Amino acid sequence: MTELPISADLIAERNALHAEALEEDYAALGRKLSRTGIDIDAIKDRVAGFSVAVPSWGAGRGGTRFAKFPIAGEPTNIHEKLEDCAVIQQLSRVTPRVSPHFPWDKVSDFTALREEAAALGLGWDAVNSNTFQDQVGQAHTYANGSLSAQDAATRQQAVDHNIECIEIGRQLGSTDLTVWVGDGTNFPGQQDLGRSLDRYLEAASKIYAALPDDWRMLLEHKMFEPAFYSTVISDWGSSILAAQELGPKAKCLVDLGHHAPNVNIEQIVARLHRFGKLGGFHFNDSKYGDDDLDSGSINPHQLFLVFNELVEAELNPRDGFNPSYMIDQSHNVTDPIESMLSSAETITQCFAKAQLVDRAALHAAQEANDTMMAFQALRRAYNVDVAPILAKARMEAGGAIDVLEAYRLSQYRGRKAQERKAVGLGAGIV
Ligand code: LRH
Ligand code: MN
């Protein structure tokens, strides 16, 4: 194991200062929960087993079409991104995997990259293909779509790229391929809405055929952007029908920001699970469009309700129920490491709160049409401050009780600003 980026002494020193208060808070919460028959240590063990992957592309500053404002010391390649992801894992102890994106994270030796990550205490989650941008020297443009393009050679190029991502993923030890395509139209009539999907399905089936036995293909739907009139895989309905058409290894990935405002996303989770097609999540938050804001920063209650459905799903498993939990955010105004530390905490909090729901009371109230008591069963759990449980699990795993304090005191970003070359001004997501 390479020496981790943050000094273990600093973490131990700060934890020593916070340990007594944490024990006090933990004991008090333990007494409170035991009054309702909940064993706090059992919840802590569940939290200790929880994890969420971080996106390699989230380690750098993100931007919009208008501008991107880099920060000094932000990563400029996958090696520096891995170092930053290792900081998040070292302090939080809930983010042991990185979800890479190709060709953004392309290197010449993926076995070496796998070892480099392992030495930093990191593994790999789903690999993401990219047929929404043209690369220098690319034979066929994706301006008119990729997997659904009119041009057969363009579709084949997109298929080949996805198969290349599977091959890279196999070398990294990943078993999931996330396929999001921006394919769609900006004008009525621009493309035939039926034939576009047919072309997508024909091309996607070639990617599906290349999947190793233990792999999954995660279809990511999105309502709009970059297309603003129609999108080929625009909603969970199109996604589940495509996944059913492709086969059992095709599942649906729910990016929380890919829906119209106020859509009931927790119900989409319940539906996808009901039909055995819930493959994973891209956690983030939004107020308007695909804002890619920090998870739970706008609507933490929705995130809690999503995890509430995931607990119900675990109690009623369908074949292959093993959702991938991944963050997918764009950090336009914060230090990306701080945002992912904060987001990992919020996601884990919602997971923990969902474990606290008195399922027997909830189900009894539902069966009795006792609306208020059913709602209160969820609200009681949501109102519990689970921070002591998360901090204790984190400390016991070698992490920091106060992750942001430890990160700032480490002056990691300042050190990287000295070491790393400056990132130029620009625009766009990465
Ligand atoms: C599309 C998306 C997709 C990624 C990209 C970075 O909006 O959510 O998951 O490929 O962001
Ligand atoms: Mn996404």
Side-chain angles (χ1 to χ4, degrees), residues 216-272:
R216 301 180 306 175
M217 187 172 168
L218 306 179
L219 308 183
E220 183 176 2
H221 60 272
K222 182 174 181 178
M223 187 174 70
F224 76 99
E225 188 207 38
F228 295 101
Y229 169 67
S230 73
T231 292
V232 174
I233 303 294
S234 58
D235 56 23
W236 75 276
S238 308
S239 185
I240 198 170
L241 292 170
Q244 287 172 335
E245 185 90 357
L246 290 167
K249 290 189 277 187
K251 304 276 185 182
C252 305
L253 182 141
V254 179
D255 183 311
L256 272 61
H258 289 186
H259 308 85
N262 307 322
V263 161
N264 187 326
I265 296 175
E266 56 271 23
Q267 181 166 270
I268 293 173
V269 170
R271 293 287 175 277
L272 291 171

Side-chain angles (χ1 to χ4, degrees), residues 15 36 44 70 106 124-125 132 151 154 156 251 289 303 312 324 348 351 378 381 412:
N15 282 357
T36 56
K44 175 168 65 69
K106 207 161 192 174
W124 300 89
D125 207 301
F132 52 86
D151 175 56
T154 303
Q156 189 56 48
K251 304 276 185 182
L303 190 57
E312 288 289 345
S324 276
T348 311
F351 169 83
L378 294 185
Y412 175 83

Side-chain angles (χ1 to χ4, degrees), residues 57 101 104 128 132 180 220 222 255 258 282 290 328 429:
W57 63 94
H101 217 299
W104 295 339
N128 296 267
F132 52 86
W180 169 68
E220 183 176 2
K222 182 174 181 178
D255 183 311
H258 289 186
H282 276 178
D290 185 23
D328 177 6
I429 183 170

